[in-house]
Amino acid sequence: MRTQVGIIGAGPAGLMLAHLLHRAGIDTVVLERRSREHVRQRVRAGVLEHSTVKLLRAVGLGGRLDREGMPHHGLSLRFDRADHRIALTDLTGRAITVYGQQEVVKDLIDARETAGAPIMFDVDEVSVHDPAGDRPRITFTDADGTARALVCDVVAGCDGFHGVSRTAFPPDALRTYRREYPFAWLGILARTPPSHHELIYAYSDRGFALHSMRSPEITRLYLQVPADERITDWPDDRIWDELAVRLAVDGFDLRSGPVLEKGLTSVRSVVTEPMRYGRLLLAGDAAHIVPPTGAKGMNLAIADALDLSRALVPFLSGRSTELLDGYSDRRLHRVWRAEHFSWWMTSMLHRSPDGDPFEHRLQLAQLRYTVSSLAAATSLAENYVGLPYDLSMPGSAYP
């Protein structure tokens, strides 16, 4: 098999990169180890930054987003048993949109399949060879168990934190920065209307809680739990009782309902430098992980794909290597900004496992300052809705 860009991973980064390159007339093949059904259904993040929404519209993916997405113009920081609204749009002129990652993925899969471009699901034994050469290869077995080799001009590793792309870097060519947090998120998806019209980030003596939503009928909620917690220790009634305590303010009624999905998510920060080795480029979770508190993961992945597509168009046409040569530095500049914001939100809103009273007072001081200072509230708002980036697309390659 032969293609210009071999893309490993059918998540937001890989599928958006494939979509943008297809619009530019560049041949791509997407490889994904999971089944088509699994990829379309797996529940992940749900907050789109302002620029992400603009990009999706600009590249023909705004139809269902505009019909079903839920624009939000503020969020609540809940502490001291009171709501403190951060007016995102009033402070920044921009908004967020709640639209689940799986919905973005569905739209991208549908667009690619409509265009007749290949996504190879259920592949196994994926490996990248000769990434420093002019013709890197990806070997794999397809859904029928047939061994195959895909020869590429460039390989894009968009296969997530546990993918194989990073392992193709020589050990001395890669540096990884990481921080593991001493807690996890217990998340549920429930069939019940949201209890509040905006997202609630709650800080309480018992730990962090988040109230979010996926639609007018489906609510997404999270609890901070110990890092070694077991899902079996949390029956549905216990989850609802704990959410009610952590989210409690006067006049607030938490709506409960049937739990459709339940899971534990570890909380970590990871950055891999550089994001390029030869003709192997990393994007999305393959290169960086952020704590979910800042709602940055999917947005970073889509921004990576945009930047990488811009760089590959002149590179593959033989016009220039400049944008590709600068890809890693450009993206890491933005990645570390997002890492800092996500770390800051996480540190401010989560109780330490040892219940340190000094840290508790510091967190309350930061929360009170954030909601009482126009400058501090604006800083939170502009980072949450997403710092602006250039959405222009080169030439007629991006109609």
Side-chain angles (χ1 to χ4, degrees), residues 219-235:
T219 301
R220 184 75 163 157
L221 302 121
Y222 296 94
L223 289 168
Q224 173 191 350
V225 298
D228 59 354
E229 200 76 324
R230 297 178 303 174
I231 197 75
T232 53
D233 293 333
W234 286 89

Side-chain angles (χ1 to χ4, degrees), residues 35-170:
S35 70
R36 182 180 184 276
E37 293 71 25
H38 177 90
V39 172
R40 289 177 64 92
Q41 294 172 8
R42 57 187 172 191
V43 177
R44 293 289 188 270
V47 173
L48 301 183
E49 294 178 355
H50 183 78
S51 292
T52 302
V53 172
K54 288 182 66 177
L55 174 62
L56 291 170
R57 289 173 178 154
V59 297
L61 298 170
R64 198 162 66 92
L65 166 64
D66 288 334
R67 292 193 302 273
E68 300 178 15
M70 304 170 68
H72 284 219
H73 301 283
L75 60 82
S76 289
L77 294 181
R78 184 170 287 188
F79 61 95
D80 289 342
R81 295 188 66 84
D83 261 332
H84 308 268
R85 186 172 186 266
I86 304 295
L88 300 174
T89 304
D90 289 346
L91 291 168
T92 68
R94 303 189 297 279
I96 59 166
T97 299
V98 173
Y99 189 67
Q101 176 174 312
Q102 74 272 23
E103 306 306 325
V104 176
V105 166
K106 288 176 188 175
D107 293 341
L108 284 162
I109 290 175
D110 290 346
R112 187 162 178 85
E113 292 179 342
T114 299
I119 303 176
M120 301 185 70
F121 293 102
D122 295 301
V123 304
D124 199 4
E125 299 177 358
V126 179
S127 185
V128 179
H129 306 270
D130 195 22
D134 292 339
R135 293 291 184 269
R137 291 176 299 113
I138 307 171
T139 58
F140 62 98
T141 57
D142 65 17
D144 296 326
T146 302
R148 294 184 177 272
L150 177 65
V151 180
C152 316
D153 295 318
V154 172
V155 174
C158 307
D159 48 346
F161 183 71
H162 299 289
V164 303
S165 297
R166 279 198 317 273
T167 65
F169 279 58

Side-chain angles (χ1 to χ4, degrees), residues 23 74 210 288 333 386:
R23 289 169 64 90
L210 172 61
H288 40 73
H333 178 78

Side-chain angles (χ1 to χ4, degrees), residues 169 272 274-276 280-282 287-288 304 327-328 331-332:
F169 279 58
T272 296
M275 292 170 61
R276 176 188 181 185
L280 171 60
L281 291 302
L282 302 180
H288 40 73
D304 286 351
Y327 167 73
S328 182
R331 292 311 304 151
L332 287 169

